[in-house]
Amino acid sequence: MQVEKYLNDISKNQGTVHLTLIDPASQSPDEAAEIALAAANGGSDAIMVGGSIEAGGALLDQTLIKIREKTSIPTILFPSNAGGVSAYSDAIFFMSLLNSRDINYITTNQAMGAPLVYKFGIESISMAYLIIEPGGTVGWVGDAKLIPKNKPEIAVSYSLAGKYLGMHYTYLEAGSGADEPASPEMIKAVKKVLGDNKLIVGGGIRDPETARVCVKAGADMIVTGTVVEETSDVAAKIEEIVSAIKNE
C-alpha cells in the first residue's frame, strides 16, 4: 500500500481523513493495539504512533507490532525526534517543525533519522509541522515560537514556506490536551494558499461539532488523540467524529 495515495484518495472520495494518534508511552503495547482496533472499528482511516519523548526504542517497536497484529489500516510514525523511527511502520510523517527556535527540530533530527527511513524502506510523507497557541507539551519540547491564535497570516506564511520547500502536507497543531484547535479563520486562510496540498488539523478536537467546524473551514484530515485516552468506548467516540466529517 502507498499510504500517501491511500490518504489522498480518501480525502478526495469521502471528504475527510480521520487519523487516531496513539502515544506508546501512555499504555502497554497490548492496550495500544486494542485502542487501535477500536478506532479502526469506529471508522478511523489510519493510526499515527508517536508524539512523546518516551515513545521510541523497544516500546515503539512492540506497540507497532501489536497494532499490526490487530488491524490492517496503515500505521504512520509521528516522531518527536530521530528515536521515533521504527522498521515496523507503514509510513512516516517526515516533518520539520518550521516555527521551532531549535535547529534540531527543523533539520538535525531529520538528518539523523533519514538514513534509518531509507534503510528500513519506510514510505516518507513530507510535512510542514506548525505549532499554534497554546502548544502544550509539544510546543515546550520543540521550543516552538508559538503562532498566535489570532494571527492566521503568520500560519499562512509558514504554510507557504513549507509548500514551496516541497512538503506535501501541512499540520496545524494546537497541542495535546488543548482546549480548542486552530480557529476556522486560520484553517480557511491556510487551506486557501495550500491549494491541492493537504491540511491536517489536530489538538483540541474531542467532539463531532468541533471536528465538523474544522472540516467546513478547510481541513483535509483530522487528528484525535487525547479523546481516545479519556473515553471508555473508543469505537463509539471515533464513530461519532468520523460520521460528522465524512462527505462534509
Side-chain angles (χ1 to χ4, degrees):
M1 177 189 298
Q2 186 182 5
V3 178
E4 184 171 356
K5 183 180 184 302
Y6 163 82
L7 297 177
N8 291 347
D9 285 348
I10 292 173
S11 176
K12 178 180 178 181
N13 299 322
Q14 300 181 29
T16 312
V17 173
H18 182 271
L19 305 169
T20 295
L21 173 60
I22 296 178
D23 186 342
S26 296
Q27 63 286 298
S28 71
D30 285 317
E31 291 168 332
E34 292 300 328
I35 292 172
L37 176 61
N41 289 339
S44 196
D45 297 302
I47 305 295
M48 293 167 59
V49 182
S52 84
I53 55 177
E54 302 173 359
L59 178 60
L60 175 60
D61 289 344
Q62 287 301 311
T63 297
L64 285 162
I65 290 168
K66 292 295 184 180
I67 288 175
R68 295 176 84 177
E69 288 175 354
K70 286 286 185 177
T71 178
S72 61
I73 63 174
T75 54
I76 306 171
L77 291 168
F78 185 59
S80 61
N81 54 47
V85 179
S86 171
Y88 300 99
S89 187
D90 298 303
I92 182 171
F93 281 140
F94 200 86
M95 56 195 184
S96 175
L97 178 49
L98 293 185
N99 61 318
S100 176
R101 299 180 180 90
D102 187 342
I103 192 67
N104 289 295
Y105 291 98
I106 302 173
T107 58
T108 305
N109 275 297
Q110 291 77 0
M112 293 172 64
L116 292 175
V117 174
Y118 179 80
K119 177 182 178 181
F120 297 149
I122 306 168
E123 179 186 345
S124 174
I125 303 173
S126 58
M127 177 191 288
Y129 190 42
L130 307 177
I131 302 180
I132 62 175
E133 292 178 336
T137 302
V138 67
W140 182 84
V141 171
D143 194 15
K145 188 174 182 180
L146 300 177
I147 299 173
K149 290 181 180 180
N150 63 344
K151 294 292 183 179
E153 64 272 19
I154 297 178
V156 165
S157 295
Y158 275 111
S159 298
L160 280 171
K163 177 180 178 179
Y164 295 154
L165 284 166
M167 298 170 182
H168 299 172
Y169 288 10
T170 299
Y171 190 153
L172 293 179
E173 169 73 273
S176 178
D179 292 334
E180 59 186 9
S183 69
E185 293 77 16
M186 182 178 288
I187 295 170
K188 182 178 181 180
V190 168
K191 181 57 184 174
K192 181 179 179 180
V193 300
L194 287 179
D196 292 335
N197 281 25
K198 300 305 180 185
L199 175 59
I200 304 175
V201 177
I205 302 174
R206 295 183 179 83
D207 58 80
E209 184 53 37
T210 302
R212 187 181 292 114
V213 167
C214 292
V215 171
K216 285 185 175 180
D220 298 296
M221 306 184 190
I222 294 293
V223 177
T224 52
T226 302
V227 68
V228 300
E229 299 174 5
E230 296 176 341
T231 183
S232 59
D233 192 339
V234 173
K237 175 58 70 172
I238 295 297
E239 185 174 5
E240 287 179 0
I241 295 174
V242 169
S243 297
I245 65 174
K246 293 295 183 179
N247 294 313
E248 183 60 43

